[in-house]
Amino acid sequence: MDFPRLSAYLAGLAANNDKAWFEANRAEYQALRDDFHGFVGEVIADVAAWDESVRWVDPKDCIFRIYRDVRFSHDKTPYKTTFSAVVGERGRRGHGPSHYFQVDQNGTLMAGGGVWMPSPERLALIREHVAEHPERLRKLLRSRAFRSTFGGLWEGDKLKRPPSGYPADHPLIEVIKLKSFIVERERDVSQGDGVRAWITETFRAMHPFIQWLRSAVAGAEDHA
C-alpha cells in the first residue's frame, strides 16, 4: 500500500469534494481502493495470529464506503476524506469490541479500537463490569505495554455527572462516566515506512483491552 500516494489523493479530494473531481479521478480512487483491500487482508491475517475470531472475515466487509450519508447533515460534501476499516468478528456489521484504523487527507494514520457509542444495554454492562471488578481494569491500565502505547483511555465523550446508581466517590467514577470505551494513537504516514508493523503492534498492545471489553459485554445480543 502506497500511503503517501493515498494521502495525496485524499488531500486532492478534500480540496475538491464534488462529483466532477471524483469522477475525473475515479481510476486513481479504484486503484487505491484495490490496494487498500489487499492491505486490510494483510492486517486481518496479522490480527488472526492472536485473535481467531477475525480469521475468516472478508476485507470487503471491513472497509467503509467513501460516500457520505448527507440526508441529515448540514455538511453536504458527498465524499469522506479518509480510507478506513474495522477489523472485528463481523466487520462493519458487528457491534462488539473491534480494531479500527484510518488514514486521512493530512497523512495521519490513526489506529485503535474498542466500542464506540455502544447501545444502552452494552454500555450498562461495561459500567457494571468496571464497578464490580475495578481491580481488573486498573491492572490493564497500569500495564507497561498499555501505558507506553496508549497512555490511557480516550476521554473525549463522557457524562458530566455520574450515571444513575453509581456513587460519585467510586474510585473509577471517571471511567464509569465514559460514553465510549476506546483507545487510539496516531502517526504520520508521509514516508509510508513500517505502517503495517505499526498497526499490528498497536492492535497487539490493545488485545488485553479487547478481551476485557468482551468479558464485560458477554451475553449481549450482537445487534444491540
Side-chain angles (χ1 to χ4, degrees):
M1 183 80 222
D2 187 339
F3 283 94
R5 177 183 171 190
L6 173 58
S7 60
Y9 169 81
L10 291 171
L13 179 58
N16 306 275
N17 201 322
D18 57 53
K19 186 175 181 180
W21 190 92
F22 186 82
E23 291 299 330
N25 293 273
R26 178 172 284 278
E28 178 70 350
Y29 163 73
Q30 193 59 58
L32 289 166
R33 178 85 174 186
D34 291 345
D35 287 349
F36 192 67
H37 181 283
F39 182 80
V40 172
E42 293 172 346
V43 172
I44 290 171
D46 291 340
V47 175
W50 66 80
D51 188 346
E52 281 287 331
S53 70
V54 306
R55 182 170 298 279
W56 307 113
V57 179
D58 191 321
K60 70 178 177 59
D61 294 329
C62 299
I63 299 172
F64 288 93
R65 287 162 46 89
I66 200 168
Y67 306 98
R68 296 183 62 248
D69 184 351
V70 300
R71 292 174 297 173
F72 308 107
S73 175
H74 293 297
D75 179 3
K76 298 301 181 182
T77 50
Y79 307 106
K80 300 173 187 174
T81 55
T82 59
F83 268 34
S84 57
V86 59
V87 179
E89 187 173 1
R90 297 181 61 199
R92 299 187 314 276
R93 300 183 183 89
H95 296 274
S98 300
H99 316 75
Y100 175 84
F101 69 96
Q102 71 172 34
V103 180
D104 69 15
Q105 73 274 18
N106 298 314
T108 300
L109 167 65
M110 186 275 282
V115 286
W116 170 260
M117 298 298 287
S119 67
E121 177 193 4
R122 288 176 180 273
L123 183 56
L125 288 171
I126 296 170
R127 285 173 171 164
E128 288 173 10
H129 197 62
V130 174
E132 294 174 5
H133 308 285
E135 73 288 348
R136 297 179 186 177
L137 183 58
R138 279 204 195 97
K139 181 178 179 181
L140 188 157
L141 296 178
R142 291 172 177 171
S143 71
R144 181 176 299 179
F146 185 89
R147 285 188 293 109
S148 64
T149 306
F150 304 109
L153 300 177
W154 184 76
E155 297 189 0
D157 199 6
K158 66 192 304 184
L159 298 172
K160 293 183 179 180
R161 297 182 178 85
S164 178
Y166 293 96
D169 61 353
H170 188 284
L172 290 179
I173 193 60
E174 293 305 312
V175 175
I176 292 171
K177 287 160 63 176
L178 293 174
K179 296 180 182 179
S180 296
F181 287 78
I182 60 175
V183 295
E184 63 176 21
R185 69 169 177 162
E186 297 181 346
R187 62 158 283 183
D188 178 72
V189 292
S190 60
Q191 302 302 315
D193 297 330
V195 173
R196 178 180 168 189
W198 184 87
I199 292 175
T200 301
E201 175 188 276
T202 303
F203 289 167
R204 188 69 185 88
M206 190 174 70
H207 188 57
F209 178 61
I210 294 292
Q211 290 180 305
W212 177 84
L213 283 170
R214 285 173 177 166
S215 66
V217 300
E221 294 293 332
D222 192 52
H223 62 266

